[in-house]
Each structure stands twice: as C-alpha cells, then as structure tokens.
C-alpha cells in the first residue's frame, strides 16, 4: 500500500479511499469516497468498542437463541404420497427427482 495510508487506529480519510481505489483501478468519485471513509470509520469505531468488552469468562455460543432445534426421528412416513408429489415435479426418473446439474 501507499505510505500515506493511515494506520488502523486513526480515521480513514477520503484520500485513503481514493488511493486504494486508484490502486485497485476502481472508478470512485470524491463524494462516494467520502461516504466510504465515513462508513469505515463507523465500523472501526464499533470494532474498537467491542474490543474493550471483557470476554475472558464467556463460553462460545452454538446458537444465538440458546435453544436447540428438536429433530424428528428419521423414520419413514407413510402419510407422504410419493406418486402425487412426483406427478407435479418437472423431472422424475426411477422414483427420484431430477435436478439440473450444477457441478461439472
């Protein structure tokens, strides 16, 4: 990067954004660069605030709701009418639903 880019602890200037855009060959005007600089400053401010929170005695969450999804038993359900469901499917072969290939 250019030597005049400010360190992460300082605010990001419009000139910084324009310099990075120039290096990346992006066409960004001054007002957009100013908006980006403000947005990045806000994000860095939030990150600085979050980094001050003491998390030493917290355990990681597996689920933000702290609730487990109850799973149903993996058993065959006779209530499902395969023929009726497959009669409205776009493509079926040998009892299987055919889908477009997505990986070559």
């Amino acid at each position: 990067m250019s030597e005049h880019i400010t360190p992460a602890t300082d605010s990001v200037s419009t000139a910084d954004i324009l310099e990075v855009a120039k290096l990346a060959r992006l066409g960004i005007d001054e007002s957009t660069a100013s908006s980006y600089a403000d947005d990045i400053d806000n994000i860095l401010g939030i990150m600085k605030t979050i980094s001050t929170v003491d998390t030493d005695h917290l355990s990681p969450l597996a689920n933000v709701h702290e609730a487990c999804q109850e799973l149903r038993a993996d058993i065959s359900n006779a209530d499902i009418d395969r023929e009726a469901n497959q009669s409205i499917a776009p493509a079926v072969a040998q009892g299987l639903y055919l889908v477009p290939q997505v990986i070559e």
Side-chain angles (χ1 to χ4, degrees):
M1 266 195 198
S2 175
E3 59 211 33
H4 79 277
I5 299 294
T6 57
T9 56
D10 294 340
S11 64
V12 176
S13 71
T14 301
D16 294 336
I17 299 297
L18 290 171
E19 177 67 15
V20 171
K22 176 183 165 191
L23 293 171
R25 292 191 163 97
L26 298 174
I28 296 178
D29 62 24
E30 183 118 7
S31 67
T32 303
S34 177
S35 174
Y36 288 170
D38 291 342
D39 291 345
I40 291 172
D41 278 342
N42 289 335
I43 292 168
L44 292 174
I46 292 168
M47 291 174 60
K48 187 174 184 178
T49 301
I50 290 172
S51 70
T52 64
V53 176
D54 179 18
T55 59
D56 290 339
H57 303 291
L58 297 177
S59 58
L61 285 177
N63 185 327
V64 296
H65 302 292
E66 293 189 359
C68 294
Q69 174 75 29
E70 289 192 30
L71 302 176
R72 65 173 175 77
D74 190 16
I75 56 174
S76 175
N77 186 345
D79 295 339
I80 296 173
D81 186 356
R82 175 181 248 167
E83 287 77 26
N85 289 334
Q86 290 190 342
S87 69
I88 59 172
V92 177
Q94 299 175 351
L96 303 174
Y97 296 93
L98 301 178
V99 297
Q101 181 177 344
V102 293
I103 300 174
E104 294 183 29

